């Protein structure tokens, strides 16, 4: 039986289910789908790999995912690892399991596809994730993920409809649309959402992964007015509540945009709740900058927080900016978490 260990985002969880179904006839095989969002995430991946090998000495360990793509040598040098696959190669993971090479990691920016496999279940879950796009064309100054996932590319709408139909036939009642940059779905994120709701009028709950505040427009608000089966919790990738820091991060929204967006959504969904990602201690962040993040949480009434202390990623512009001491990053992260129960 194959064992799959997925770190990080919902996309990894979705891919983990693909691995389980594709490789269900394999024995003594462990797939580790890694995360690269922070250096700490990579460290945890390596620590887990060592533990898995110790507990399963006869199993073959295959490492793939974002950390395998951007930090290939760190994983290929581990004696516990039998095979390292990039994000492009893992879409055909079964093809590479017999390879005599230890490392197969190609240029992710040359990849224009996605994994077309149709999954039928999510082990131990009531909610099913559906991938609608991959990659990201934005270049936030702190983020390594575009270099791990490649350019923005969208799953064809007919495939998304087929996947949702299959999952609903298996008894799932909650469908969550997810992607690396889901709001950049082409040709239209709003159009996709509307077509899904038209196609499945009896869908109990349509949900979303992380949404980009800069990409949510009045067309999305109109959809919220029209359809009552959209789940009224919205999670945003905000990162900071200070406009100067947002600019230095390369984000495309302001703190005022976030506040106004929350007001607009509440005007049509009075029971709406909000979650958000935040980075604390971004380079050059002052005490005053950080206080603006605390204020934003209160002013926008954001209910659940997913908080990260800033983590340098070599190769990103932010890693070359003046750094905030690590102890201050951690202290600010703890202070922000204490405002709300952190979203796990």
């Amino acid at each position: 039986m194959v064992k799959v260990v997925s770190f990080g985002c919902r996309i990894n969880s979705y891919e983990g289910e693909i691995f389980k179904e594709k490789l269900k006839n394999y024995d003594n095989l462990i797939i580790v789908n890694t995360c690269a969002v922070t250096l700490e995430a990579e460290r945890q991946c390596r620590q887990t790999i060592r533990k898995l090998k110790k507990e399963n000495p006869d199993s073959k360990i295959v490492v793939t995912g974002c950390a395998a793509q951007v930090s290939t040598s760190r994983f290929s040098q581990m004696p516990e690892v039998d095979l390292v696959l990039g994000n492009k190669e893992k879409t055909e993971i079964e093809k590479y399991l017999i390879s005599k090479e230890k490392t197969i990691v190609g240029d992710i920016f040359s990849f224009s596809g996605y994994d077309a496999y149709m999954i039928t279940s999510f082990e131990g879950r009531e909610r099913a994730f559906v991938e609608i796009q991959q990659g990201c064309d934005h270049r936030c100054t702190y983020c390594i993920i575009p270099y791990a996932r490649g350019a923005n590319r969208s799953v064809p709408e007919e495939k998304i409809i087929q996947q949702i139909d299959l999952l609903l036939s298996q008894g799932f009642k909650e469908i969550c649309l997810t992607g690396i940059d889901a709001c950049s779905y082409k040709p239209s994120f709003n159009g996709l959402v509307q077509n899904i709701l038209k196609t499945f009028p009896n869908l109990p709950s349509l949900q979303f992964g992380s949404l980009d505040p800069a990409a949510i427009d009045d067309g999305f608000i109109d959809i919220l007015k029209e359809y009552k089966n959209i789940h009224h919790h919205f999670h945003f990738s905000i990162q900071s509540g200070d406009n100067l820091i947002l600019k230095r991060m390369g984000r495309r929204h302001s703190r005022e945009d976030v506040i106004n967006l929350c007001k607009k959504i509440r005007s049509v969904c009075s029971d709406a709740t909000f979650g958000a990602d935040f980075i604390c201690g971004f380079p050059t962040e002052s005490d005053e900058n950080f206080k603006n993040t605390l204020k934003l949480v209160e002013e926008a009434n954001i209910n659940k927080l997913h908080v990260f202390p800033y983590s340098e990623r070599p190769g990103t512009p932010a890693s070359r900016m003046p750094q905030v001491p690590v102890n201050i990053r951690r202290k600010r992260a703890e202070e922000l978490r204490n405002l709300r129960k952190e979203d796990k």
Side-chain angles (χ1 to χ4, degrees), residues 160-161 164 177 192-200 206:
I160 295 170
I161 296 294
I164 293 174
L177 304 183
L192 173 67
V193 171
Q194 194 162 36
N195 286 340
I196 289 171
L197 293 168
K198 285 180 178 178
T199 304
F200 304 104
L206 181 66

Side-chain angles (χ1 to χ4, degrees), residues 111-342:
F111 187 41
S112 60
Y114 60 94
D115 198 322
Y117 187 86
M118 303 287 284
I119 61 174
T120 61
S121 66
F122 276 82
E123 186 179 339
R125 296 178 183 268
E126 296 181 357
R127 177 174 56 171
F129 299 125
V130 173
E131 178 187 288
I132 65 170
Q133 67 84 230
Q134 272 281 359
C136 182
D137 289 341
H138 305 304
R139 292 295 182 269
C140 296
T141 59
Y142 54 84
C143 188
I144 198 70
I145 299 306
Y147 303 95
R149 289 283 181 173
N152 178 32
R153 52 199 188 276
S154 299
V155 177
E157 186 174 300
E158 60 269 22
K159 196 261 183 181
I160 295 170
I161 296 294
Q162 290 171 9
Q163 180 66 89
I164 293 174
D165 189 46
L166 178 57
L167 290 167
L168 292 177
S169 73
Q170 297 298 312
F172 287 94
K173 300 183 185 303
E174 300 177 19
I175 300 295
C176 181
L177 304 183
T178 190
I180 299 301
D181 184 24
C183 291
S184 292
Y185 181 86
K186 303 297 182 187
S188 168
F189 177 70
N190 289 347
L192 173 67
V193 171
Q194 194 162 36
N195 286 340
I196 289 171
L197 293 168
K198 285 180 178 178
T199 304
F200 304 104
N202 296 319
L203 171 63
S205 178
L206 181 66
Q207 305 172 16
F208 308 100
S210 186
L211 299 172
D212 182 354
I216 300 299
D217 57 18
D218 288 343
F220 185 79
I221 304 300
D222 290 339
I223 293 172
L224 294 181
K225 285 182 189 177
E226 184 176 355
Y227 295 94
K228 304 306 178 186
N229 46 353
I230 294 177
H231 185 59
H232 287 178
H233 179 76
F234 306 90
H235 189 91
F236 298 126
S237 176
I238 297 175
Q239 310 304 358
S240 174
D242 183 86
N243 284 338
L244 177 60
I245 296 301
L246 285 168
K247 184 176 181 180
R248 289 175 176 166
M249 286 179 165
R251 302 296 293 169
R252 299 178 301 143
H253 63 270
S254 66
R255 71 188 320 276
E256 292 77 19
D257 291 334
V258 173
I259 294 168
N260 290 334
L261 176 58
C262 291
K263 285 180 179 178
K264 284 183 177 181
I265 292 177
R266 284 196 175 99
S267 72
V268 296
C269 306
S270 59
D271 61 342
T273 59
F274 302 103
D277 298 324
F278 286 101
I279 295 172
C280 295
F282 182 81
T284 77
E285 183 185 72
S286 66
D287 288 341
E288 193 63 35
N289 297 145
F290 176 64
K291 285 179 183 177
N292 283 333
T293 294
L294 298 175
K295 291 176 184 177
L296 175 67
V297 171
E298 300 291 356
E299 291 172 25
N301 193 14
I302 298 170
N303 311 87
K304 292 188 176 182
L305 310 180
H306 195 189
V307 179
F308 297 92
Y310 169 73
S311 176
E312 296 96 338
R313 294 305 326 228
T316 60
S319 68
R320 300 188 292 272
M321 297 178 185
Q323 302 294 307
V324 173
V326 172
N327 65 316
I328 294 179
R329 301 178 209 175
R330 292 174 178 166
K331 181 180 178 182
R332 289 175 182 170
E334 186 64 24
E335 184 175 353
L336 182 56
R337 289 187 186 112
N338 286 338
L339 280 183
R340 301 283 190 272
K341 182 180 179 180
E342 186 179 5

Side-chain angles (χ1 to χ4, degrees), residues 60 62-65 68-69 72 76 81-93 95-107:
K60 179 177 184 177
V62 178
V63 178
T64 187
Q69 182 72 41
T72 306
S76 63
V81 174
D82 295 284
L83 177 63
V84 181
L85 294 179
N87 273 332
K88 175 182 177 181
E89 289 73 25
K90 75 177 174 185
T91 62
E92 298 180 283
I93 189 169
K95 170 182 171 182
Y96 295 101
L97 292 179
I98 60 173
S99 173
K100 294 181 180 179
E101 296 180 67
K102 184 172 183 178
T103 304
I104 310 173
V105 179
D107 177 11

